[in-house]
Each structure stands twice: as structure tokens, then as C-alpha cells.
Amino acid sequence: SIKTVEEIERIKKAIKQSDEGQSFAHSLVESGEGLSEKEVRTEIDYFMARKGIQENSFSTIVASGPNAAHSHHSNTDRKLMKGDPVICDFGVFWDGYCSDITRTYFVGGTPSEEWRDIYQIVLSANKKSTEALVEGVTGHIVDKAGRDFIRKKGFGSNFVHGTGHGFGLEIHEYPSITYKSRVKIQNSMAVTIEPGIYIPGKGGIRIEDDVLPNGEKPIVLTKAKKEIY
């Protein structure tokens, strides 16, 4: 779970590829009205394959409109509609190590006021859990920081999964960062921070970063834009 300097460098290379993939996905989704989830997935995968990646670290997820209400979604032939939130969750292997990043975009580029508010809540929860990723605290504390904020905003029942997990040689590794987690955070544990809000029948928002604990100043390794709405 504690990565060496060499392992971290390999992880950074994998993250660089997925960051570029998210930049591509951002443009594709905002202008992608009429494309199907499967078509968007194929375009993202092709873009990353041309970068010379080893392989995807898991099957690319593109969840649009009401399908984005499912925290883990299998891509369908549903076509993107203007105003849809679209969750794009993917990662790659590079030199044996993987990345895992999620961003949420809106078809047409302009979310409704309701979705803009929810987006900002998730973004703030992402920041709060990231800031709580301090050496020596438990995973419970990290999870609680973002979860309590989401709960105070009235969406506690809509955050339906843990805040994060370790990754490296595999996409899911120790530690697990959940409400029940008692594992103590240590420097150089590569983990995800990925709060989300999911509204049944309407859609959802998830914002996921890859983060490295570093004393009291966690390092966010993923650089793809997220403060966009």
C-alpha cells in the first residue's frame, strides 16, 4: 500500500495519460449531443490507445442523464441529450501501474441551476476529504469529512459508496477509505478520493482524484480540470 519513489513515478505517468483523456472527454461530451454512451466510450478509449497506453485499468464508464444515478453503470445505446450530466470514469495502465479518474460534464456545457449546485457540493466534498488525508488519521476521518458535508446539504442518502481506495499494480488495493475504515493513513499511500451524489431517475455527479498523502499536505496527482461549473 505504501508506494516507493519509482512506483509513484510510474503512477504519475499513467495519470498523465488519463488526465489527457479527460480533457478529450470534456470537449467530446459538451459537444456530443446525439452520441450514444457506447460511442463516447469508444472515442475515449481510441484516444487513449493512440497515446500508447498499456491497456485500460478497467472498462471505461460513460453514464449519461438518468443512467448517471447509478454509481457503477454499464454503457448503453442511450443518446446524450442537452443538459445531461455525464459521468466519465476511466483509467489506464502505464509501465505496470494504473490510474483512476472521474469527472462529470454536461452536454451543451451549461448545467441547470440545480445540477450546478449539486456539482459544487460534490466538488467541495472532494476538497474536504482530500484536505483530511493527513498522515496518521483513519480512513474513517477522511470519509467523514466529505460525507458530513454532503449530509449537511441534504444529500446524505445519495452518497452511496465509500470515499476511496488504494491503487497501483491493481485498480483496487488496500487501503479502503470508507465510513467504517480504521486503517491509519501513511505517507505515499496512493489512494482515490471520489465523493458522489446520485439522484434516482435524474442523474448524478462524481468527482474523483488520485491523491498521495504527504504529511499534512496531500498531493493531488490528477490535474484534469474540475472547477468548471
Side-chain angles (χ1 to χ4, degrees):
S1 62
I2 300 173
K3 304 304 191 281
T4 66
V5 171
E6 181 184 5
E7 287 178 309
I8 291 169
E9 287 306 309
R10 292 186 182 189
I11 287 170
K12 286 180 179 179
K13 291 177 182 178
I15 289 171
K16 181 177 184 296
Q17 306 308 315
S18 54
D19 274 340
E20 292 179 2
Q22 283 290 357
S23 179
F24 174 80
H26 184 187
S27 297
L28 179 64
V29 167
E30 289 199 344
S31 62
E33 185 176 2
L35 293 176
S36 71
E37 293 174 347
K38 289 180 179 179
E39 288 173 325
V40 174
R41 182 272 316 275
T42 299
E43 291 294 332
I44 292 170
D45 287 352
Y46 181 59
F47 175 86
M48 293 191 297
R50 292 187 64 187
K51 294 288 184 179
I53 65 168
Q54 188 175 338
E55 60 181 317
N56 290 357
S57 49
F58 56 94
S59 297
T60 295
I61 297 170
V62 176
S64 66
N67 290 340
H70 305 288
S71 58
H72 288 85
H73 170 66
S74 297
N75 307 313
T76 71
D77 291 320
R78 182 188 184 277
K79 295 187 182 299
L80 275 59
M81 299 175 62
K82 188 173 182 179
D84 277 348
V86 182
I87 292 174
C88 297
D89 183 358
F90 53 84
V92 306
F93 277 102
W94 187 275
D95 202 12
Y97 286 77
C98 67
S99 59
D100 185 3
I101 180 173
T102 306
R103 295 289 185 264
T104 304
Y105 308 116
F106 291 88
V107 182
T110 305
S112 66
E113 185 175 349
E114 178 185 15
W115 279 123
R116 187 186 300 272
D117 290 344
I118 294 172
Y119 188 95
Q120 291 301 322
I121 292 169
V122 175
L123 181 61
S124 293
N126 172 285
K127 290 180 178 179
K128 289 180 181 297
S129 282
T130 298
E131 291 169 354
L133 191 71
V134 173
E135 183 183 20
V137 306
T138 63
H140 164 80
I141 295 299
V142 179
D143 181 277
K144 187 174 186 294
R147 192 175 300 278
D148 280 359
F149 180 78
I150 289 174
R151 183 180 295 115
K152 288 176 182 177
K153 293 295 183 177
F155 293 97
S157 63
N158 302 103
F159 183 9
V160 297
H161 54 73
T163 291
H165 57 83
F167 68 97
L169 287 168
E170 299 180 6
I171 194 59
H172 289 101
E173 295 184 350
Y174 183 89
S176 179
I177 300 177
T178 67
Y179 193 75
K180 295 182 178 180
S181 175
R182 294 296 182 267
V183 61
K184 287 193 175 182
I185 300 301
Q186 298 183 57
N187 287 344
S188 299
M189 282 182 166
V191 300
T192 67
I193 298 293
E194 49 181 302
I197 291 176
Y198 309 91
I199 313 297
K202 295 183 68 175
I205 307 290
R206 181 165 68 252
I207 301 174
E208 176 185 23
D209 285 313
D210 297 338
V211 187
L212 201 66
N214 180 49
E216 296 186 354
K217 295 183 178 180
I219 301 170
V220 179
L221 300 174
T222 36
K223 304 300 182 186
K225 290 183 179 179
K226 54 189 175 182
E227 295 173 332
I228 48 181
Y229 300 112

PDB file of all heavy atoms in Angstrom, residues 1 14 25 27-28 33 46 51 61 74 82 94 99 125 132 140 147-148 151 158 169 184 187 201 211 218-219 221:
ATOM      1  N   SER A   1       0.823  -1.218   0.000  1.00  0.00           N
ATOM      2  CA  SER A   1       0.000   0.000   0.000  1.00  0.00           C
ATOM      3  C   SER A   1       0.857   1.268   0.000  1.00  0.00           C
ATOM      4  O   SER A   1       0.425   2.305  -0.482  1.00  0.00           O
ATOM      5  CB  SER A   1      -0.926   0.019   1.209  1.00  0.00           C
ATOM      6  OG  SER A   1      -0.199   0.040   2.415  1.00  0.00           O
ATOM      7  N   ALA A  14       0.968   7.130 -15.687  1.00  0.00           N
ATOM      8  CA  ALA A  14      -0.365   6.628 -16.019  1.00  0.00           C
ATOM      9  C   ALA A  14      -1.404   7.733 -15.868  1.00  0.00           C
ATOM     10  O   ALA A  14      -2.313   7.879 -16.693  1.00  0.00           O
ATOM     11  CB  ALA A  14      -0.709   5.428 -15.133  1.00  0.00           C
ATOM     12  N   ALA A  25     -12.390  13.965 -23.240  1.00  0.00           N
ATOM     13  CA  ALA A  25     -13.766  13.613 -22.891  1.00  0.00           C
ATOM     14  C   ALA A  25     -14.606  14.846 -22.610  1.00  0.00           C
ATOM     15  O   ALA A  25     -15.789  14.904 -22.979  1.00  0.00           O
ATOM     16  CB  ALA A  25     -13.769  12.680 -21.674  1.00  0.00           C
ATOM     17  N   SER A  27     -14.373  17.899 -23.915  1.00  0.00           N
ATOM     18  CA  SER A  27     -14.779  18.516 -25.186  1.00  0.00           C
ATOM     19  C   SER A  27     -15.792  17.648 -25.919  1.00  0.00           C
ATOM     20  O   SER A  27     -16.774  18.156 -26.485  1.00  0.00           O
ATOM     21  CB  SER A  27     -13.554  18.746 -26.074  1.00  0.00           C
ATOM     22  OG  SER A  27     -12.646  19.651 -25.473  1.00  0.00           O
ATOM     23  N   LEU A  28     -15.566  16.343 -25.904  1.00  0.00           N
ATOM     24  CA  LEU A  28     -16.439  15.420 -26.621  1.00  0.00           C
ATOM     25  C   LEU A  28     -17.853  15.441 -26.045  1.00  0.00           C
ATOM     26  O   LEU A  28     -18.835  15.535 -26.781  1.00  0.00           O
ATOM     27  CB  LEU A  28     -15.860  14.007 -26.541  1.00  0.00           C
ATOM     28  CG  LEU A  28     -16.653  12.896 -27.228  1.00  0.00           C
ATOM     29  CD1 LEU A  28     -16.705  13.139 -28.736  1.00  0.00           C
ATOM     30  CD2 LEU A  28     -16.034  11.534 -26.920  1.00  0.00           C
ATOM     31  N   GLU A  33     -24.065  16.033 -28.118  1.00  0.00           N
ATOM     32  CA  GLU A  33     -25.499  15.733 -28.166  1.00  0.00           C
ATOM     33  C   GLU A  33     -25.798  14.796 -29.337  1.00  0.00           C
ATOM     34  O   GLU A  33     -25.375  15.038 -30.469  1.00  0.00           O
ATOM     35  CB  GLU A  33     -26.303  17.022 -28.308  1.00  0.00           C
ATOM     36  CG  GLU A  33     -27.801  16.815 -28.244  1.00  0.00           C
ATOM     37  CD  GLU A  33     -28.585  18.123 -28.278  1.00  0.00           C
ATOM     38  OE1 GLU A  33     -27.958  19.195 -28.390  1.00  0.00           O
ATOM     39  OE2 GLU A  33     -29.826  18.059 -28.197  1.00  0.00           O
ATOM     40  N   TYR A  46     -10.250   5.018 -27.837  1.00  0.00           N
ATOM     41  CA  TYR A  46      -9.400   5.138 -29.021  1.00  0.00           C
ATOM     42  C   TYR A  46      -8.385   6.259 -28.834  1.00  0.00           C
ATOM     43  O   TYR A  46      -7.205   6.110 -29.175  1.00  0.00           O
ATOM     44  CB  TYR A  46     -10.252   5.389 -30.258  1.00  0.00           C
ATOM     45  CG  TYR A  46      -9.450   5.511 -31.537  1.00  0.00           C
ATOM     46  CD1 TYR A  46      -8.638   4.468 -31.981  1.00  0.00           C
ATOM     47  CD2 TYR A  46      -9.499   6.672 -32.299  1.00  0.00           C
ATOM     48  CE1 TYR A  46      -7.902   4.583 -33.156  1.00  0.00           C
ATOM     49  CE2 TYR A  46      -8.772   6.795 -33.475  1.00  0.00           C
ATOM     50  CZ  TYR A  46      -7.972   5.753 -33.896  1.00  0.00           C
ATOM     51  OH  TYR A  46      -7.238   5.868 -35.044  1.00  0.00           O
ATOM     52  N   LYS A  51      -2.297   7.068 -27.591  1.00  0.00           N
ATOM     53  CA  LYS A  51      -1.227   7.617 -26.756  1.00  0.00           C
ATOM     54  C   LYS A  51      -0.202   6.553 -26.372  1.00  0.00           C
ATOM     55  O   LYS A  51       0.816   6.867 -25.746  1.00  0.00           O
ATOM     56  CB  LYS A  51      -1.813   8.244 -25.494  1.00  0.00           C
ATOM     57  CG  LYS A  51      -2.682   9.467 -25.741  1.00  0.00           C
ATOM     58  CD  LYS A  51      -1.844  10.658 -26.151  1.00  0.00           C
ATOM     59  CE  LYS A  51      -2.690  11.900 -26.314  1.00  0.00           C
ATOM     60  NZ  LYS A  51      -1.879  13.085 -26.697  1.00  0.00           N
ATOM     61  N   ILE A  61     -16.314   3.875 -18.124  1.00  0.00           N
ATOM     62  CA  ILE A  61     -17.713   4.117 -17.790  1.00  0.00           C
ATOM     63  C   ILE A  61     -18.138   5.483 -18.328  1.00  0.00           C
ATOM     64  O   ILE A  61     -17.505   6.500 -18.037  1.00  0.00           O
ATOM     65  CB  ILE A  61     -17.941   4.073 -16.271  1.00  0.00           C
ATOM     66  CG1 ILE A  61     -17.624   2.676 -15.721  1.00  0.00           C
ATOM     67  CG2 ILE A  61     -19.368   4.483 -15.918  1.00  0.00           C
ATOM     68  CD1 ILE A  61     -17.595   2.616 -14.203  1.00  0.00           C
ATOM     69  N   SER A  74     -23.127   0.217 -16.682  1.00  0.00           N
ATOM     70  CA  SER A  74     -22.672  -0.418 -17.918  1.00  0.00           C
ATOM     71  C   SER A  74     -23.172   0.402 -19.095  1.00  0.00           C
ATOM     72  O   SER A  74     -24.379   0.670 -19.206  1.00  0.00           O
ATOM     73  CB  SER A  74     -23.205  -1.859 -18.001  1.00  0.00           C
ATOM     74  OG  SER A  74     -22.690  -2.647 -16.956  1.00  0.00           O
ATOM     75  N   LYS A  82     -29.105  17.325 -24.442  1.00  0.00           N
ATOM     76  CA  LYS A  82     -28.646  18.610 -23.922  1.00  0.00           C
ATOM     77  C   LYS A  82     -29.020  18.758 -22.444  1.00  0.00           C
ATOM     78  O   LYS A  82     -30.143  18.493 -22.044  1.00  0.00           O
ATOM     79  CB  LYS A  82     -29.249  19.755 -24.724  1.00  0.00           C
ATOM     80  CG  LYS A  82     -28.661  21.118 -24.359  1.00  0.00           C
ATOM     81  CD  LYS A  82     -29.168  22.214 -25.287  1.00  0.00           C
ATOM     82  CE  LYS A  82     -28.533  23.550 -24.939  1.00  0.00           C
ATOM     83  NZ  LYS A  82     -28.999  24.638 -25.849  1.00  0.00           N
ATOM     84  N   TRP A  94       0.178   2.062 -17.282  1.00  0.00           N
ATOM     85  CA  TRP A  94       1.382   2.540 -17.961  1.00  0.00           C
ATOM     86  C   TRP A  94       2.578   1.984 -17.202  1.00  0.00           C
ATOM     87  O   TRP A  94       2.731   2.246 -16.015  1.00  0.00           O
ATOM     88  CB  TRP A  94       1.417   4.071 -17.981  1.00  0.00           C
ATOM     89  CG  TRP A  94       2.538   4.625 -18.820  1.00  0.00           C
ATOM     90  CD1 TRP A  94       3.839   4.836 -18.419  1.00  0.00           C
ATOM     91  CD2 TRP A  94       2.474   5.018 -20.184  1.00  0.00           C
ATOM     92  NE1 TRP A  94       4.580   5.334 -19.446  1.00  0.00           N
ATOM     93  CE2 TRP A  94       3.767   5.449 -20.551  1.00  0.00           C
ATOM     94  CE3 TRP A  94       1.464   5.039 -21.128  1.00  0.00           C
ATOM     95  CZ2 TRP A  94       4.064   5.911 -21.831  1.00  0.00           C
ATOM     96  CZ3 TRP A  94       1.755   5.499 -22.408  1.00  0.00           C
ATOM     97  CH2 TRP A  94       3.036   5.928 -22.749  1.00  0.00           C
ATOM     98  N   SER A  99      -3.990   4.212 -13.203  1.00  0.00           N
ATOM     99  CA  SER A  99      -4.616   5.462 -12.767  1.00  0.00           C
ATOM    100  C   SER A  99      -6.121   5.239 -12.723  1.00  0.00           C
ATOM    101  O   SER A  99      -6.645   4.279 -13.287  1.00  0.00           O
ATOM    102  CB  SER A  99      -4.274   6.598 -13.739  1.00  0.00           C
ATOM    103  OG  SER A  99      -4.711   6.282 -15.054  1.00  0.00           O
ATOM    104  N   ALA A 125     -16.980  18.571  -1.294  1.00  0.00           N
ATOM    105  CA  ALA A 125     -16.749  17.329  -0.542  1.00  0.00           C
ATOM    106  C   ALA A 125     -15.426  16.686  -0.953  1.00  0.00           C
ATOM    107  O   ALA A 125     -14.682  16.166  -0.111  1.00  0.00           O
ATOM    108  CB  ALA A 125     -17.905  16.357  -0.769  1.00  0.00           C
ATOM    109  N   ALA A 132      -8.409  16.256   4.401  1.00  0.00           N
ATOM    110  CA  ALA A 132      -8.396  15.415   5.602  1.00  0.00           C
ATOM    111  C   ALA A 132      -7.433  14.236   5.480  1.00  0.00           C
ATOM    112  O   ALA A 132      -7.187  13.527   6.465  1.00  0.00           O
ATOM    113  CB  ALA A 132      -9.800  14.889   5.888  1.00  0.00           C
ATOM    114  N   HIS A 140     -11.682   6.465   8.208  1.00  0.00           N
ATOM    115  CA  HIS A 140     -12.992   6.947   8.658  1.00  0.00           C
ATOM    116  C   HIS A 140     -13.038   8.477   8.670  1.00  0.00           C
ATOM    117  O   HIS A 140     -14.023   9.080   8.226  1.00  0.00           O
ATOM    118  CB  HIS A 140     -13.280   6.404  10.060  1.00  0.00           C
ATOM    119  CG  HIS A 140     -14.394   7.106  10.771  1.00  0.00           C
ATOM    120  ND1 HIS A 140     -15.724   6.832  10.526  1.00  0.00           N
ATOM    121  CD2 HIS A 140     -14.374   8.078  11.711  1.00  0.00           C
ATOM    122  CE1 HIS A 140     -16.467   7.611  11.296  1.00  0.00           C
ATOM    123  NE2 HIS A 140     -15.678   8.373  12.023  1.00  0.00           N
ATOM    124  N   ARG A 147     -18.362  13.242   3.577  1.00  0.00           N
ATOM    125  CA  ARG A 147     -19.708  12.698   3.778  1.00  0.00           C
ATOM    126  C   ARG A 147     -20.560  13.611   4.658  1.00  0.00           C
ATOM    127  O   ARG A 147     -21.737  13.834   4.383  1.00  0.00           O
ATOM    128  CB  ARG A 147     -19.622  11.293   4.374  1.00  0.00           C
ATOM    129  CG  ARG A 147     -20.944  10.533   4.355  1.00  0.00           C
ATOM    130  CD  ARG A 147     -20.765   9.104   4.840  1.00  0.00           C
ATOM    131  NE  ARG A 147     -19.827   8.369   4.013  1.00  0.00           N
ATOM    132  CZ  ARG A 147     -20.143   7.785   2.855  1.00  0.00           C
ATOM    133  NH1 ARG A 147     -21.378   7.879   2.388  1.00  0.00           N
ATOM    134  NH2 ARG A 147     -19.231   7.122   2.172  1.00  0.00           N
ATOM    135  N   ASP A 148     -19.966  14.130   5.736  1.00  0.00           N
ATOM    136  CA  ASP A 148     -20.716  15.026   6.619  1.00  0.00           C
ATOM    137  C   ASP A 148     -21.151  16.286   5.883  1.00  0.00           C
ATOM    138  O   ASP A 148     -22.251  16.797   6.105  1.00  0.00           O
ATOM    139  CB  ASP A 148     -19.869  15.399   7.840  1.00  0.00           C
ATOM    140  CG  ASP A 148     -19.859  14.316   8.901  1.00  0.00           C
ATOM    141  OD1 ASP A 148     -20.527  13.272   8.697  1.00  0.00           O
ATOM    142  OD2 ASP A 148     -19.183  14.504   9.932  1.00  0.00           O
ATOM    143  N   ARG A 151     -24.033  15.400   3.707  1.00  0.00           N
ATOM    144  CA  ARG A 151     -25.213  15.178   4.550  1.00  0.00           C
ATOM    145  C   ARG A 151     -25.827  16.511   4.986  1.00  0.00           C
ATOM    146  O   ARG A 151     -27.046  16.680   4.955  1.00  0.00           O
ATOM    147  CB  ARG A 151     -24.825  14.337   5.769  1.00  0.00           C
ATOM    148  CG  ARG A 151     -26.005  13.981   6.674  1.00  0.00           C
ATOM    149  CD  ARG A 151     -25.575  13.157   7.860  1.00  0.00           C
ATOM    150  NE  ARG A 151     -25.069  11.854   7.455  1.00  0.00           N
ATOM    151  CZ  ARG A 151     -23.813  11.446   7.628  1.00  0.00           C
ATOM    152  NH1 ARG A 151     -22.925  12.237   8.208  1.00  0.00           N
ATOM    153  NH2 ARG A 151     -23.447  10.249   7.238  1.00  0.00           N
ATOM    154  N   ASN A 158     -27.830  10.084  -0.685  1.00  0.00           N
ATOM    155  CA  ASN A 158     -27.486   9.993  -2.107  1.00  0.00           C
ATOM    156  C   ASN A 158     -25.993   9.771  -2.358  1.00  0.00           C
ATOM    157  O   ASN A 158     -25.555   9.748  -3.512  1.00  0.00           O
ATOM    158  CB  ASN A 158     -27.933  11.264  -2.829  1.00  0.00           C
ATOM    159  CG  ASN A 158     -29.409  11.526  -2.692  1.00  0.00           C
ATOM    160  OD1 ASN A 158     -29.819  12.382  -1.907  1.00  0.00           O
ATOM    161  ND2 ASN A 158     -30.242  10.778  -3.408  1.00  0.00           N
ATOM    162  N   LEU A 169      -0.567  -1.485  -8.680  1.00  0.00           N
ATOM    163  CA  LEU A 169      -0.472  -2.607  -9.615  1.00  0.00           C
ATOM    164  C   LEU A 169      -1.857  -3.101 -10.006  1.00  0.00           C
ATOM    165  O   LEU A 169      -2.037  -3.694 -11.072  1.00  0.00           O
ATOM    166  CB  LEU A 169       0.326  -3.761  -8.996  1.00  0.00           C
ATOM    167  CG  LEU A 169       1.838  -3.546  -8.878  1.00  0.00           C
ATOM    168  CD1 LEU A 169       2.462  -4.617  -7.996  1.00  0.00           C
ATOM    169  CD2 LEU A 169       2.491  -3.555 -10.259  1.00  0.00           C
ATOM    170  N   LYS A 184      -4.919   3.430   9.403  1.00  0.00           N
ATOM    171  CA  LYS A 184      -4.256   4.722   9.556  1.00  0.00           C
ATOM    172  C   LYS A 184      -3.558   5.110   8.258  1.00  0.00           C
ATOM    173  O   LYS A 184      -2.809   4.317   7.690  1.00  0.00           O
ATOM    174  CB  LYS A 184      -3.259   4.672  10.717  1.00  0.00           C
ATOM    175  CG  LYS A 184      -3.934   4.667  12.080  1.00  0.00           C
ATOM    176  CD  LYS A 184      -2.935   4.924  13.198  1.00  0.00           C
ATOM    177  CE  LYS A 184      -3.650   5.048  14.546  1.00  0.00           C
ATOM    178  NZ  LYS A 184      -2.695   5.354  15.639  1.00  0.00           N
ATOM    179  N   ASN A 187       2.093   8.150   4.727  1.00  0.00           N
ATOM    180  CA  ASN A 187       2.646   8.822   3.559  1.00  0.00           C
ATOM    181  C   ASN A 187       2.871   7.829   2.420  1.00  0.00           C
ATOM    182  O   ASN A 187       3.243   6.676   2.656  1.00  0.00           O
ATOM    183  CB  ASN A 187       3.973   9.502   3.902  1.00  0.00           C
ATOM    184  CG  ASN A 187       3.778  10.740   4.752  1.00  0.00           C
ATOM    185  OD1 ASN A 187       2.675  11.270   4.856  1.00  0.00           O
ATOM    186  ND2 ASN A 187       4.853  11.217   5.361  1.00  0.00           N
ATOM    187  N   GLY A 201     -33.466   8.339 -11.030  1.00  0.00           N
ATOM    188  CA  GLY A 201     -34.338   8.804 -12.104  1.00  0.00           C
ATOM    189  C   GLY A 201     -33.907  10.099 -12.762  1.00  0.00           C
ATOM    190  O   GLY A 201     -34.463  10.482 -13.795  1.00  0.00           O
ATOM    191  N   VAL A 211      -4.717  10.758  -5.190  1.00  0.00           N
ATOM    192  CA  VAL A 211      -4.075  11.622  -4.203  1.00  0.00           C
ATOM    193  C   VAL A 211      -3.021  10.848  -3.426  1.00  0.00           C
ATOM    194  O   VAL A 211      -3.179   9.652  -3.139  1.00  0.00           O
ATOM    195  CB  VAL A 211      -5.121  12.207  -3.222  1.00  0.00           C
ATOM    196  CG1 VAL A 211      -4.480  13.246  -2.313  1.00  0.00           C
ATOM    197  CG2 VAL A 211      -6.296  12.827  -3.980  1.00  0.00           C
ATOM    198  N   PRO A 218      -1.513  16.798   1.524  1.00  0.00           N
ATOM    199  CA  PRO A 218      -1.720  15.785   0.488  1.00  0.00           C
ATOM    200  C   PRO A 218      -1.462  16.353  -0.905  1.00  0.00           C
ATOM    201  O   PRO A 218      -1.729  17.532  -1.162  1.00  0.00           O
ATOM    202  CB  PRO A 218      -3.178  15.377   0.676  1.00  0.00           C
ATOM    203  CG  PRO A 218      -3.800  16.503   1.437  1.00  0.00           C
ATOM    204  CD  PRO A 218      -2.721  17.066   2.299  1.00  0.00           C
ATOM    205  N   ILE A 219      -0.947  15.503  -1.775  1.00  0.00           N
ATOM    206  CA  ILE A 219      -0.614  15.914  -3.138  1.00  0.00           C
ATOM    207  C   ILE A 219      -1.655  15.330  -4.095  1.00  0.00           C
ATOM    208  O   ILE A 219      -1.794  14.107  -4.196  1.00  0.00           O
ATOM    209  CB  ILE A 219       0.787  15.426  -3.532  1.00  0.00           C
ATOM    210  CG1 ILE A 219       1.844  15.991  -2.575  1.00  0.00           C
ATOM    211  CG2 ILE A 219       1.108  15.808  -4.975  1.00  0.00           C
ATOM    212  CD1 ILE A 219       3.219  15.367  -2.743  1.00  0.00           C
ATOM    213  N   LEU A 221      -2.548  14.242  -7.491  1.00  0.00           N
ATOM    214  CA  LEU A 221      -1.766  13.856  -8.661  1.00  0.00           C
ATOM    215  C   LEU A 221      -2.519  14.111  -9.968  1.00  0.00           C
ATOM    216  O   LEU A 221      -1.900  14.402 -10.988  1.00  0.00           O
ATOM    217  CB  LEU A 221      -1.375  12.377  -8.566  1.00  0.00           C
ATOM    218  CG  LEU A 221      -0.532  11.980  -7.340  1.00  0.00           C
ATOM    219  CD1 LEU A 221      -0.339  10.469  -7.304  1.00  0.00           C
ATOM    220  CD2 LEU A 221       0.823  12.686  -7.357  1.00  0.00           C
TER     221      LEU A 221
END
